[in-house]
Amino acid sequence: MDFISEALLSSGPFSIAVSLVFNILISVLGFIPSVFITAANISVFGFEKGLILSYMGEIAGAVVSFWLYRKGFQTFKPKFMKNRWVKKLQKSQGFHAFWMILMLRLLPFIPSGAINLTAALSKTGMMIFFLATSIGKLPALLVEAYSVTQVLKASDDIRIVLILLILVISAVYYLNRNKKKGRE
């Protein structure tokens, strides 16, 4: 987060553009959590402006990812998407696709990159994807921004405990996932 905050602070009048570029890159890569850019935005711009900027960046990143994935992965059908909701989205279009994307955005345990990629590989149109993403990302981003604000206010000891807790939970999840894959 410090790297991103320093980049934003040192970019002067271009700091908003730099923030948006970071958000788009994070979204296109698909595996880096956006919480780092959200934390940097709130740290540099304050809660309200940072939240608005993060929201705009998340939407821009999702739309750019959708477009790039659609252009780049037309023939590629990933097999890693085994979630039943994600599979349904891949086959949906129109009003049904809108609701599927919206519901997936509201579920905290489904990575945004997986939703972007699946929607791009479906029959979903750009406008439906944009609308559902715009609505669905707002509640999650509000929770993320509030959490980030509380962590930024916390003492260093609490931050270390939170980081260790996140690492342990991630390790358990990763090991459990690999254990399940080994049984299949």
Side-chain angles (χ1 to χ4, degrees), residues 16-180:
I16 291 173
V18 170
S19 173
L20 292 173
V21 168
F22 273 128
N23 251 313
I24 291 169
L25 288 173
I26 285 171
S27 185
V28 169
L29 292 174
F31 63 89
I32 301 171
S34 64
V35 69
F36 301 114
I37 187 69
T38 301
N41 284 340
I42 288 172
S43 174
V44 171
F45 299 104
F47 184 80
E48 293 84 14
K49 289 179 184 173
L51 175 64
I52 291 168
L53 185 56
S54 291
Y55 180 69
M56 289 173 26
E58 292 255 350
I59 302 305
V63 168
V64 169
S65 296
F66 177 86
W67 184 79
L68 286 174
Y69 295 166
R70 179 153 285 176
K71 294 294 180 196
F73 293 121
Q74 284 295 342
T75 57
F76 175 68
K77 299 290 183 195
K79 296 176 183 172
F80 64 84
M81 295 181 211
K82 296 182 180 186
N83 179 288
R84 67 184 174 113
W85 293 94
V86 172
K87 284 182 181 179
K88 282 184 180 182
L89 171 59
Q90 209 166 9
K91 297 174 185 172
S92 68
Q93 60 185 359
F95 185 73
H96 189 254
F98 172 84
W99 285 108
M100 291 293 302
I101 294 167
L102 180 61
M103 299 316 308
L104 288 169
R105 292 281 185 215
L106 294 173
L107 296 173
F109 52 86
I110 298 185
S112 187
I115 299 168
N116 296 342
L117 180 59
T118 305
L121 296 173
S122 74
K123 298 172 185 171
T124 304
M126 175 68 84
M127 186 54 76
I128 288 173
F129 176 79
F130 172 78
L131 291 172
T133 294
S134 297
I135 296 167
K137 277 197 169 279
L138 190 56
L141 190 57
L142 286 169
V143 170
E144 183 178 290
Y146 177 76
S147 301
V148 161
T149 301
Q150 297 308 308
V151 170
L152 290 174
K153 291 179 183 176
S155 69
D156 288 342
D157 293 340
I158 292 174
R159 288 183 199 175
I160 290 170
V161 169
L162 286 173
I163 290 170
L164 290 174
L165 183 63
I166 290 169
L167 289 174
V168 168
I169 290 170
S170 298
V172 168
Y173 171 78
Y174 178 77
L175 292 172
N176 191 32
R177 192 181 80 181
N178 284 345
K179 192 176 184 182
K180 284 181 183 178

